[in-house]
Amino acid sequence: MPPSAVHVPHPPYPTNVPARTTSEGNHHSEWICGCGRSLEWRKGFGILTGVPKVSRVTAVLEIAGLQKTYRSRKGTRKALDGFDMVVEAGQVHGFLGPNGSGKTTTLRTLLGLIKPNGGRMAILGKEVPRHLPETAGLVGAIVESPQFFGNFSAQDTLSLLADAGNVKRQRVTEVLELVGLRDRGKDRVKTYSLGMKQRLAVASALLKQPKLLILDEPANGLDPGGIREMRSLMRNLAESGMTVVLSSHILGEIQLICDEVTIISAGRRVAYGSVSSVLAGHGSGKTKVRLEPGVDMRAAVEMLRANGAQVTVEVDHFTVGNAGNPAQITRILAERQIYVSELTPVSADLESVFLELTGTAPVEGQNRQVDQTASVGGWGQ
Amino acid sequence: MSLYKAETRRLFKRRFTKLFLLGAVAVLAAVAIGIFFSNQKVGPEQIAAAKADAQAQLERDAQQTEKDKASCEAAKGTPQAGNWPPDCEQLTPPSQENYNYEWYMPPTFILRESFPDMATTLAALLALAAFIIGASFVGAEWSSGGMMNLLLWRPQRLKVLGTKLLTLLLSFTVITVVASAIWTGVFYLIAEARGSTDSMTSGVWQSFAIMELRGLALVLVAGAVGFGLASLGRHTAMALGVTIGAVIVFQFGLGVVLELAKVKFVQAYLIPAWITAWMNKEVTIQDYNSCDFSSVNGCQPAELTLTWPMAAALLGGVFVVVTTAAMWTMRSRDIT
Ligand SMILES: Nc1ncnc2c1ncn2[C@@H]1O[C@H](COP(=O)(O)OP(=O)(O)OP(=O)(O)O)[C@@H](O)[C@H]1O
Ligand SMILES: [Mg+2]
């Protein structure tokens, strides 16, 4: 019996293979047969890129089928509707979703602040909330701009937390230094700016040197320098073996620092996997090809089309729409002595993938309301 | 243990706690100083002076009676006669026994008689401080989000809230015990200097001690109730609002309504009667609307005696209900 009491359904392949999504619109047929392995993986999924890690790292965080319905006098609201999430050790994991999609609810549930209506969760292999008292020492968390008692200084606030959690006081000085509050540590929290409070929150999460760090919108209110510092801080932490779960709306940031992402929409996971696979699964899947000047582009295009490629011709280059393995382009052309001078994958950025997956792209002439998502696949049509 | 240490540090780091304790000390000091200066030691000299005063007053009053009698006689038959009794002999001269010299003595602080009121004052003041500090201690944590941070560190809700309550109660136990000791000492000295410590038998000391213990219980219940209400409402304002509401409703509204409804023993529904019953072991409430006729005493109002065990049951009941409710909601509520 493995230590993990929770069974989270895993795909039968390493998790950094391409994202599986609910969006069905992006299945490209791989027109050129690559190696046999990729054929095998292809079953049921979109284009495959990247080399899979063969060994499965242990999951630090597993959530399966999480349900949460808020009840109030005004009625009920289903915030989580069978949400799944897996975070492997040592990752920086991005947790993305539009406003009101259930990110904070997930994190609060995970940390025992609210009771779920169903589903299972495990941190470091231990089922929570049952084993939360044991795991809490290993988890540092901030949940949605945490507030602190305004009349205490940052130093007092942290040293009280340190006392409550049996952490050495000297660690307080270290984390204050780490988040850049060393010289303001004795000021009352009430007098802090938004970003300074956010830094204090991060400091409080780092205080106990956690194995898993959960940060709900840590960049909220940070200045550009602060964001960059936060980025390198997180990279360093991940390198030192810490696992970081990061919820944010700054997708450029996520794309820069995250190994994997989970995208949530309306309380369900709509995509997950490494950033590149999510992008690949939903990106254009296109490759831009430029030939040597003076070469007959038409012949090349016809040749590729004959092999099943979807080619769009532009003025001085063309793009291949379903290039699973761009090497095949060069091979086919090279066989006819046509040489490629530029071969660039046309990548979608995380933002457009996010908007597509969550159906929250702005539509001209409409004011999109929160909780309003275009029906899957229906966006933009 | 570490949690308890941290909470104690938090409690006394708060400016609110410091301010309120300081305020309580100031009020207590003012009371002690006032008592000190408004009393004085009585010896043979003061007794002689009091006797002289009583005698002088007696003589003045006797002269006045004589004068009045003369006026009464003179007024007979004139229109002013209506101002006087028809029989001028009814104006009797004052008698010696109505001029007890003790009534002409300066106020003096007799420890045995006067200390119980002082002990009640101390207990009531500390109970008020405990209520407000208890409410603010947990209320500010809830409303500032500090409770959530703490729960992320120690995700054992009942333990966290229970430790906070325990911290509050233990701190106030120490404060009350120390304050009672000092308070007793101060009034012993005041009695020595400005009154007397006569007939302080060990039995009297014991009853003082037991009274101070009852005071401690009152302080702790007040603290726990303030704490519990603030935790239930997740805000200091909640506890304070409830109290102010309770005071208004109980003391004025309910009093008036019950009075109009001609309910017997209205005061039994009001808080002060119970606190007095608790501190003084019993309180007797009279119902002036009723009449227990007896041939000896005529019409006597009906009486209701509230005893300390009844008050104990009430205090205990309130304590249990409020803390249980606070713990119960803590166990299950969503913290967002
Ligand atoms: N205390 C609450 N009572 C009732 N409904 C709530 C409560 N907290 C959140 N919700 C609802 O649950 C849903 C998910 O909210 P949640 O805070 O998890 O969103 P989020 O993904 O963190 O959004 P954001 O990006 O804006 O922070 C929303 O529809 C919200 O209205
Ligand atoms: Mg949120």
Side-chain angles (χ1 to χ4, degrees), chain B residues 214 277-283 306-313:
Chain B
R214 286 200 306 270
W278 174 242
M279 288 306 290
N280 296 349
K281 289 208 265 196
E282 64 171 52
V283 68
L306 305 179
T307 60
W308 71 264
M310 293 159 78

Side-chain angles (χ1 to χ4, degrees), chain B residues 12 16-34 121-130 133 172 174-176 178-180 182-183 186-187:
Chain B
F12 290 101
F16 195 87
T17 310
K18 291 183 204 161
L19 274 178
F20 254 84
L21 289 180
L22 220 69
V25 168
V27 171
L28 291 174
V31 169
I33 290 168
T121 307
L122 176 73
L125 197 70
L126 286 181
L128 183 67
I133 290 173
F172 264 93
V174 172
I175 290 172
T176 309
V178 171
S180 297
I182 294 173
W183 194 237
V186 164
F187 279 97

